[in-house]
Amino acid sequence: MFALAVMTMITAAIVNAGCRSSESSRRSRVNTVNINSVRRHLEMTVRAREQEQTSKVGAGITKSEETLWEQAIGLEVEGSIYHPNLVEFSLAGLFGLLKEDYRDEFGDRTRTSSDDGEIVEFDLEGSFFKKKPYPGSVFARRYRTLQPRPFLSSLETTTTTTGFAWQLVNTTYPTSLQYVNTKVELRPLNDTEAPGLQENATLRFDTEYRFSDNNVVSFSYENRSVLEEPFSLDYTSDEVKLAHKLHFGEKHLHQLDSEVVFFDQRGTFDIKRTRWRESLRLTHSDNLRSWYQFEFLDRTQGSLLGVPPIHEKSYFLSSTLEHQWYLSLQSQLYAFAQRQKFDSGLKITRFGLQPSFDYRKKNRWGILLANYRLRLQKEDREGGSRSLEVVDERVTFRDPDPVVLTNTNIAVSTILITDELRTVVFRSGEDYTIRLVSDRIELERIPTGRIGEGQVVLVDYVFAFGGDFVLNTTAQNLTIRQNFEFGLSPFYRLRRQDQTIDPKSAN
């Protein structure tokens, strides 16, 4: 709203500046508004689209036609108020009329829809005190796009973004404040389809205190609100982060990073999360380095599908040792341990070890690359299983390979697939098929459905997690590649994984 008010003020100032009397011009030595450039243009656009779909089960032929007419005038202005270092602005607008017609036919049924509307697009950006230690800016933008969709009417998207940014330029305590509000209106040309709305607002404050270049404390706060329709998502979150970065030792080659984060989300589903993380990096010599990390996580998370809230406490510890043996050979040893405990009584303990070797040698034919990795992992679960929910897992349909969902033991009845904008819900048996392979789910798109080849979709589901067993995993990866200078790159790759399960009970 503030940005729109500034735009109105600037427009009024431009008009007033052009209407000043000659007497007032002689009295004033400084122009209130300076216009550097004015550009105008005329736009005329006609779009036409036809689709035809034949049912593979003999249900008939569906045809659709779309026509879009647009006529608009564009205006672009650049200038300043009093002086470019005080206020500098750019203002662009597109104003006109549009007419949309949609028609579809299925058998003897014909359905038509049309709409006459206005085109209002704008782009305002104003900068204040550019050469002061406290510069700021405001902006307001609105633009329209038309997105064709397979087997559906085109989707008209109107995006309006407003906000401001301010910063304090200081070598000891730099500070910034930002606010952005984005509203996206989604309207299908076929008026029988439900429209959508997405609105996000983010307020962020960042500051830090620099005791020295090697000792810095930082603080950040972020408030975010999300509203989506027709999926009825409505929540607000707050996140506070306190961090400390310290370089120490000879030549300040060692580094210690500390971070504490508090996150609280309220609304459609609640999340509370506390995370404490310590990361230590040591440089022992030019050829030897090591990293160490500790993380504590305490979270409580609700769900969208009625799954009982999850309360988890987790401890994670890892270390990495890296050694440069020769110019061409580097080795790395990674080890970790993790302990998870859920309020349902489920407990998971993991231990892992992963040595690896990387070889890179230039020869007279090109470059020889070799890599070997061995992964040893033990996972001990006890206390029974519980249900967990996954929201918005992104997958891509690429024929002829099926999509394999990440987790196992998925409840098929809970699978929900939508497009990226969450405006279209795809249907099983019409748009995709579900196949159960062992304990995993495979998804395949139906060519005559509404999911296009290469399309990215979002998948929600519930899966069972846990059980009483010990899982031992041994995995090996070997790759050898010769990159010839003339472009040929033959390679050999070996991947092997062995797993054994030791049940603790008959479950």
Side-chain angles (χ1 to χ4, degrees), residues 168-205:
L168 176 62
V169 182
N170 188 286
T171 57
T172 304
Y173 43 88
T175 303
S176 65
L177 179 65
Q178 296 179 338
Y179 173 77
V180 178
N181 181 281
T182 302
K183 182 178 181 181
V184 182
E185 299 173 84
L186 308 163
R187 188 177 67 84
L189 295 190
N190 185 353
D191 58 10
T192 62
E193 300 177 43
L197 173 67
Q198 299 174 354
E199 187 169 2
N200 294 269
T202 302
L203 175 66
R204 184 177 179 87
F205 173 78

Side-chain angles (χ1 to χ4, degrees), residues 402-405 432-437 440-444:
V403 168
V404 181
L405 297 181
Y432 63 92
T433 60
I434 300 175
R435 182 168 62 246
L436 183 63
V437 180
R440 290 193 175 274
I441 291 291
E442 292 186 354
L443 305 174
E444 289 186 343

Side-chain angles (χ1 to χ4, degrees), residues 336-503:
F336 76 91
Q338 183 181 25
R339 174 71 168 176
Q340 291 175 279
K341 183 177 180 180
F342 297 85
D343 57 352
S344 63
L346 173 63
K347 298 177 183 179
I348 303 176
T349 304
R350 295 185 181 92
F351 299 96
L353 185 69
Q354 179 174 298
S356 63
F357 297 89
D358 289 280
Y359 181 79
R360 179 186 179 93
K361 182 67 174 180
K362 187 174 182 180
N363 51 48
R364 58 181 176 178
W365 303 287
I367 299 176
L368 176 64
L369 304 172
N371 172 268
Y372 175 76
R373 280 177 170 78
L374 171 65
R375 180 169 63 92
L376 305 172
Q377 181 174 313
K378 180 178 181 179
E379 181 175 315
D380 187 352
R381 301 188 187 186
E382 56 182 338
S385 63
R386 66 156 303 152
S387 296
L388 300 181
E389 180 183 21
V390 173
V391 177
D392 290 351
E393 180 175 322
R394 296 171 61 88
V395 299
T396 304
F397 284 95
R398 298 193 185 279
D399 296 339
D401 297 326
V403 168
V404 181
L405 297 181
T406 303
N407 295 287
T408 59
N409 301 318
I410 296 173
V412 176
S413 61
T414 64
I415 295 177
L416 174 68
I417 303 180
T418 68
D419 65 337
E420 282 190 285
L421 296 176
R422 296 185 69 89
T423 59
V424 179
V425 178
F426 299 113
R427 291 188 286 269
S428 176
E430 298 181 13
D431 302 310
Y432 63 92
T433 60
I434 300 175
R435 182 168 62 246
L436 183 63
V437 180
S438 183
D439 58 351
R440 290 193 175 274
I441 291 291
E442 292 186 354
L443 305 174
E444 289 186 343
R445 79 178 191 97
I446 298 176
T448 56
R450 294 173 295 169
I451 302 177
E453 157 66 13
Q455 182 173 348
V456 177
V457 299
L458 306 178
V459 185
D460 301 350
Y461 57 86
V462 174
F463 69 101
F465 181 71
D468 288 314
F469 60 83
V470 176
L471 176 65
N472 292 288
T473 303
T474 302
Q476 300 183 70
N477 290 271
L478 172 65
T479 302
I480 301 175
R481 179 190 296 270
Q482 172 67 43
N483 292 334
F484 289 98
E485 293 182 351
F486 55 84
L488 184 64
S489 297
F491 69 91
Y492 171 80
R493 177 176 296 162
L494 172 65
R495 293 179 178 176
R496 176 172 178 171
Q497 178 171 295
D498 297 311
Q499 289 185 312
T500 60
I501 297 179
D502 180 17

Side-chain angles (χ1 to χ4, degrees), residues 384 467-469 503-507:
D468 288 314
F469 60 83
K504 290 185 175 180
S505 66
N507 293 336

Side-chain angles (χ1 to χ4, degrees), residues 104-155:
D104 69 15
E105 299 179 5
F106 180 71
D108 297 332
R109 185 202 66 190
T110 300
R111 183 173 53 220
T112 61
S113 61
S114 61
D115 184 35
D116 296 330
E118 300 175 347
I119 300 175
V120 179
E121 298 184 22
F122 53 82
D123 189 342
L124 163 70
E125 185 167 355
S127 301
F128 304 87
F129 310 118
K130 291 195 305 180
K131 295 190 176 181
K132 297 291 185 179
Y134 40 83
S137 64
V138 296
F139 58 88
R141 304 182 182 95
R142 174 181 290 172
Y143 62 90
R144 298 166 51 255
T145 61
L146 193 67
Q147 177 181 343
R149 300 180 296 175
F151 314 120
L152 293 169
S153 65
S154 296
L155 184 68

Side-chain angles (χ1 to χ4, degrees), residues 194-199 226-236 265-270 303-305 391 416 418 421-423 425 460:
L197 173 67
Q198 299 174 354
E199 187 169 2
V226 174
L227 172 65
E228 288 190 17
E229 296 177 356
F231 283 86
S232 300
L233 284 178
D234 186 2
Y235 59 84
T236 302
Q265 177 177 298
R266 307 159 304 279
T268 307
F269 60 102
D270 298 338
S303 72
L304 294 171
L305 300 177
V391 177
L416 174 68
T418 68
L421 296 176
R422 296 185 69 89
T423 59
V425 178
D460 301 350

